[in-house]
């Protein structure tokens, strides 16, 4: 009988928790959380470095220099929206405080608007004004945006629904943006295009000259 019992006991599996048990899963999740936290801070430091260079945190959605940073910034806005709606979110108070401390912009529409404002600033630096032609093939999106700002300004003054607000009005007027300007004529448009084309040609010639090999020394007779 004792031998039979010993045989039965020998084939009973031990009570040790098998691999993949609840405790093991909890441990893996803990390690994953630590790893995700480290990656979050790495991306945050990339954003800090971006701001040092550009003086803002408006990373484009498509940022070829660091595509992962563009995706991470978009994800932070999504998590912030989840938090505001009382849904599950990874936007903990510490992260929220860090992002706001560097002037992070939560509204994606505001980001798009400020990206176009940056393009308008560059336009003014090159042409001396903000009068983007209605027909501007070099940047048709900027031309459309400028026209839309005037339309939204009109709606705002009529107390109608508008995306325009006092802050945007002030930012545009500081640049000298004209609200009642007439649509640029085709001759004006052609002049702007010619100026830009000439500038690009000069830049190309300068680069070509800088890359040219040095002249050969004269042949000794």
């Amino acid at each position: 009988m004792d031998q039979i019992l010993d045989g039965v006991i020998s084939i009973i599996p031990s009570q040790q928790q098998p691999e993949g048990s609840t405790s093991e899963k909890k441990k893996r999740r803990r390690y994953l959380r630590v790893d995700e936290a480290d990656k979050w801070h790495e991306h945050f430091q990339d954003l800090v470095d971006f701001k040092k260079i550009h003086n803002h945190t408006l990373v484009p959605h498509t940022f070829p220099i660091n595509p992962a940073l563009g995706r991470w910034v978009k994800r932070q806005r999504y998590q912030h929206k989840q938090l505001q709606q009382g849904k599950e979110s990874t936007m903990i108070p510490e992260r929220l405080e860090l992002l706001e401390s560097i002037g992070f912009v939560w509204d994606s529409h505001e980001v798009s608007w400020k990206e176009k404002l940056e393009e308008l600033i560059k336009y003014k630096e090159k042409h001396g004004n903000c009068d983007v032609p209605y027909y501007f093939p070099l940047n048709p999106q900027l031309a459309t945006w400028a026209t839309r700002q005037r339309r939204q300004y009109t709606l705002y003054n009529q107390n109608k629904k508008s995306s325009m607000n006092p802050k945007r009005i002030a930012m545009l007027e500081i640049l000298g943006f004209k609200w009642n300007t007439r649509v640029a004529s085709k001759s004006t448009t052609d002049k702007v295009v010619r100026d830009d084309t000439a500038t690009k040609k000069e830049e190309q010639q300068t680069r070509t000259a800088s890359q040219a090999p040095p002249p050969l020394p004269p042949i000794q007779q």
Side-chain angles (χ1 to χ4, degrees):
M1 178 65 70
D2 291 340
Q3 291 178 349
I4 295 174
L5 288 175
D6 291 340
V8 172
I9 293 172
S10 67
I11 64 175
I12 296 176
S14 64
Q15 297 301 314
Q16 294 180 354
Q17 293 191 3
E19 186 177 355
S21 64
T22 302
S23 61
E24 288 293 331
K25 290 179 180 178
K26 288 181 178 179
K27 187 182 295 184
R28 282 198 296 270
R29 283 199 296 268
R30 186 166 62 250
Y31 290 149
L32 286 173
R33 284 196 296 269
V34 172
D35 184 54
E36 288 172 358
D38 290 341
K39 288 182 178 179
W40 192 95
H41 284 280
E42 287 177 7
H43 288 308
F44 177 75
Q45 187 57 51
D46 288 341
L47 182 60
V48 172
D49 295 338
F50 178 92
K51 183 179 181 181
K52 289 178 181 178
I53 297 172
H54 303 281
N55 201 31
H56 61 74
T57 60
L58 305 175
V59 182
H61 292 165
T62 54
F63 185 46
I65 298 176
N66 189 346
L69 180 60
R71 292 191 297 269
W72 179 83
V73 164
K74 185 177 180 180
R75 190 159 56 249
Q76 302 317 300
R77 294 193 179 98
Y78 172 76
Q79 293 298 332
H80 181 257
K81 185 177 181 180
Q82 291 287 95
L83 178 67
Q84 289 184 317
Q85 294 175 350
K87 299 179 180 179
E88 184 178 355
S89 171
T90 59
M91 186 54 62
I92 58 179
E94 177 198 358
R95 294 178 178 182
L96 185 65
E97 183 177 353
L98 283 172
L99 288 167
E100 291 190 339
S101 70
I102 61 172
F104 190 81
V105 180
W106 297 107
D107 187 349
S108 59
H109 295 292
E110 186 70 13
V111 172
S112 299
W113 192 89
K114 288 188 176 180
E115 285 178 357
K116 283 291 178 288
L117 183 69
E118 289 292 324
E119 293 180 19
L120 182 64
I121 291 172
K122 292 178 181 178
Y123 179 93
K124 182 179 180 181
E125 290 174 351
K126 181 175 292 187
H127 302 286
N129 58 59
C130 298
D131 303 335
V132 184
Y134 178 79
Y135 175 73
F136 188 44
L138 296 178
N139 191 342
Q141 294 83 5
L142 179 60
T144 301
W145 179 84
T147 301
R148 187 182 303 122
Q149 302 317 300
R150 296 186 177 98
R151 172 60 179 164
Q152 294 300 321
Y153 178 78
T154 300
L155 292 174
Y156 176 82
N157 285 333
Q158 293 173 350
N159 294 321
K160 296 181 179 179
K161 185 177 181 181
S162 169
S163 61
M164 189 57 64
N165 56 53
K167 182 178 178 181
R168 291 184 176 184
I169 292 173
M171 295 175 73
L172 287 166
E173 289 184 344
I174 287 174
L175 292 176
F177 189 81
K178 298 177 183 177
W179 299 110
N180 298 316
T181 185
R182 295 181 179 180
V183 175
S185 64
K186 190 176 186 303
S187 59
T188 303
T189 302
D190 291 343
K191 181 180 183 305
V192 172
V193 173
R194 284 198 304 271
D195 290 344
D196 278 355
T197 303
T199 300
K200 289 181 179 180
K201 188 175 181 180
E202 290 176 1
E203 292 174 351
Q204 179 63 35
Q205 291 174 344
T206 302
R207 285 195 299 269
T208 302
S210 64
Q211 295 172 359
L216 295 174
I219 298 175
Q220 300 293 332
Q221 298 294 334

